[in-house]
Amino acid sequence: MWLHRAMHAGFYVLLTASAARYVTYHGADVLVLGLTVALGLAYPAGVRWTRALPVVLAVWLVLVWVAPSFGWCAIPLFFQCLRQLRPRVALPIAGVLTCAVVLAQIRLAAAFDLSLVLGPIGVAVLTAAVFFDRARLLREAGAVQERQRVAREIHDTLAQGFSSITLLLELGEHDRAAAVARENLAEARRFVRDLAPIRGTLVDALHRLCPHVEVDGEPYPLSVQTEVALLRVAQGAVANAAEHARAGRVAITLSYLGDAVTLDVVDDGRGFDPAAVVPAEGRGYGLASIHGRITELGGTVSVESAPGEGTAVAVTVPTP
């Protein structure tokens, strides 16, 4: 997401500017420069793994205490806390960051000024407001997209099926109408199943699906649409491995990254040529279905396979 990339770039710009300001006024202090390098190296780990974020914040707090000018880096760190942590945890931490900036401002100032207190607080409030408003817009956009998807599914499957049944009955084709009705019932069941929420967590659902599941990174909350899509992809890949690939082993890896979540399903089956696949009519778990689900979420799909070499299905979904 462009906002995330902008915040990451802004962090390093502010970190460099703070270091340059300190060196200009105080010289090259080994402790300050060492903490600066440590913070710059630790930041990517804090972005990717939530458990590493407290380390990043701790290094920054020490750096601000030693060199108050590094308080400029508070905004991207504040944003990162809001993005990775739940509000009841992120907001108190944001309060600590704001207090650190206020103290840094006061230490740098020749005389106390109320703006030294109100300024950082105002910036923190505006940052939180922008973040939560953006999250609200994303949720609303996701809801609209889901309604459009449901409407399209109903029109393209159930509605057209009922129209066919009506036409066949009017023509006296009762046997064909009954066959179409059975197909439409199967399609309706698939549709309801795809809308059903996941029982328990996504990780639990994957463990019930496959005995070989590995989770990388610290799990964080995902939208219902993302969890359902990832589970359906895993179900489809496992079903294909068992039914078509004659696989002896299937392994699933779920990775929680800073800005995305990835799902890899690898089997040791007989493989196939992805370019030669023809979607099977009436199947809900085909590669076309996987591509459709993930594309609607703004993600990407990669399928690597060859005859006799197994199959690897990898999907990536952004997590705003």
Side-chain angles (χ1 to χ4, degrees), residues 270-279 287 303-311:
R270 59 188 181 184
F272 64 98
D273 181 5
V277 171
V278 177
L287 290 177
V303 179
E304 297 181 2
S305 185
E309 297 185 6
T311 302

Side-chain angles (χ1 to χ4, degrees), residues 6-48:
M7 281 292 177
H8 299 333
F11 171 80
Y12 283 104
V13 169
L14 293 173
L15 184 65
T16 303
S18 300
R21 176 185 173 87
Y22 184 87
V23 171
T24 300
Y25 287 94
H26 305 284
D29 184 273
V30 176
L31 175 61
V32 172
L33 294 181
L35 289 172
T36 302
V37 173
L39 182 58
L41 294 176
Y43 180 79
V47 170
R48 183 167 184 176

